[in-house]
Amino acid sequence: MRSIAEKVIKSAIEEGRKKLLEHEAYQILEAYGLPIPKYGLAKSEKEAVKIAEDIGYPVVLKIVSPDIVHKSDVGGVILNLNSKGDVKKAYNTIIENVKRHAPNARIAGILVQEMVPQSLEVIVGATRDPIFGPVIMFGLGGIFVEVLRDVSFRVAPLTPVDVDEMLREIKGYRILEGYRGMPPRDIDIVKDIILKTSKIMLENPEIKDIDLNPIMLFEKGKGAKIADVRIFLV
């Protein structure tokens, strides 16, 4: 796990980058056994189609560039692609959009990713505090984090008891258990994601921040998928 993360991080540092590209971030999550969507990096229209066919439809295409932080702002994300034709068109549209809106941006390729079905959104994050070291955050997504700031924090390393307390601390915990006809969610997988995020931070001191947002959390026993990830280096 650490060896894969070390290799990815070393490559980014040698290139002078403070932010991992999305496929690099997924490589680290995958090495630590976190639940990620199927994905592949395409450097041509033909590659994009092959990856999409291997993954199965629907897929999403996202620009991969060290110079673009907000992909949507430059037309760098297209969702719900259901055929070869859709993928070909989307690939070329994204390249054209980026060249128009961010002409100086370096393009590493286009990420072809399994389209994660909509579900309850949760967030797991981590930051390296100069005093406390790695601090881990959990919260429900959407309005809960944007408006209500309904989140909880713990300093790593974490125990299963710490994680259980983190979940129960948020005001929206009852939603995880199932509320007003909503099904209970797969709480065990959330706990596992939080513990593994803590481990990534402890074993990789070069990482400053991790943002897993959104994580689509499915019904109890059906797991979760990390739909988007950002990792920044110290």
Side-chain angles (χ1 to χ4, degrees):
M1 294 182 288
R2 165 61 181 157
S3 61
I4 293 171
E6 197 172 26
K7 185 178 176 184
V8 171
I9 291 166
K10 184 182 177 187
S11 174
I13 291 170
E14 285 174 351
E15 291 177 20
R17 289 190 280 117
K18 292 284 189 181
K19 179 179 181 288
L20 296 186
L21 301 175
E22 195 163 353
H23 67 288
E24 294 173 330
Y26 272 131
Q27 285 170 12
I28 291 178
L29 300 188
E30 191 171 15
Y32 279 84
L34 278 82
I36 63 169
K38 297 171 188 171
Y39 72 96
L41 183 68
K43 298 194 176 183
S44 69
E45 179 189 290
K46 188 176 178 181
E47 276 186 343
V49 169
K50 185 182 184 308
I51 293 166
E53 294 280 303
D54 289 343
I55 289 172
Y57 298 104
V59 295
V60 53
L61 264 56
K62 305 177 186 178
I63 191 68
V64 178
S65 168
D67 305 312
I68 295 171
V69 177
H70 301 291
K71 303 179 186 73
S72 298
D73 291 352
V74 297
V77 180
I78 300 181
L79 308 173
N80 281 315
L81 304 169
N82 287 289
S83 69
K84 286 182 184 180
D86 285 351
V87 171
K88 286 180 181 179
K89 185 179 177 184
Y91 184 95
N92 291 307
T93 299
I94 287 174
I95 297 293
E96 288 166 13
N97 287 345
V98 172
K99 285 181 176 176
R100 185 166 64 253
H101 296 295
N104 297 319
R106 293 165 289 171
I107 298 175
I110 288 184
L111 192 77
V112 183
Q113 181 183 309
E114 169 191 353
M115 183 79 195
V116 180
Q118 193 66 35
S119 194
L120 180 69
E121 294 184 15
V122 299
I123 294 172
V124 174
T127 191
R128 196 170 297 280
D129 185 87
I131 296 169
F132 298 107
V135 178
I136 315 300
M137 181 270 285
F138 168 75
L140 296 186
I143 189 171
F144 292 96
V145 70
E146 291 168 12
V147 179
L148 305 178
R149 304 300 301 165
D150 188 15
V151 294
S152 59
F153 298 90
R154 285 294 184 283
V155 175
L158 302 181
T159 67
V161 172
D162 293 327
V163 176
D164 192 56
E165 288 175 352
M166 283 180 79
L167 266 61
R168 292 176 183 278
E169 263 177 31
I170 65 167
K171 300 179 185 71
Y173 177 73
R174 289 175 68 189
I175 293 171
L176 296 177
E177 290 186 308
Y179 182 69
R180 289 197 172 180
M182 293 174 66
R185 302 291 162 165
D186 201 326
I187 293 175
D188 288 342
I189 193 70
V190 174
K191 292 179 180 178
D192 189 59
I193 291 170
I194 294 170
L195 285 169
K196 285 174 177 171
T197 301
S198 169
K199 186 175 183 182
I200 291 172
M201 292 296 286
L202 291 169
E203 291 187 357
N204 300 281
E206 308 89 347
I207 294 177
K208 185 179 189 302
D209 297 301
I210 297 176
D211 183 21
L212 310 180
N213 176 28
I215 302 167
M216 295 299 178
L217 183 59
F218 306 127
E219 294 178 25
K220 188 173 182 179
K222 293 187 178 179
K225 284 279 175 74
I226 299 165
D228 219 340
V229 53
R230 293 193 296 172
I231 296 181
F232 295 91
L233 304 179
V234 173

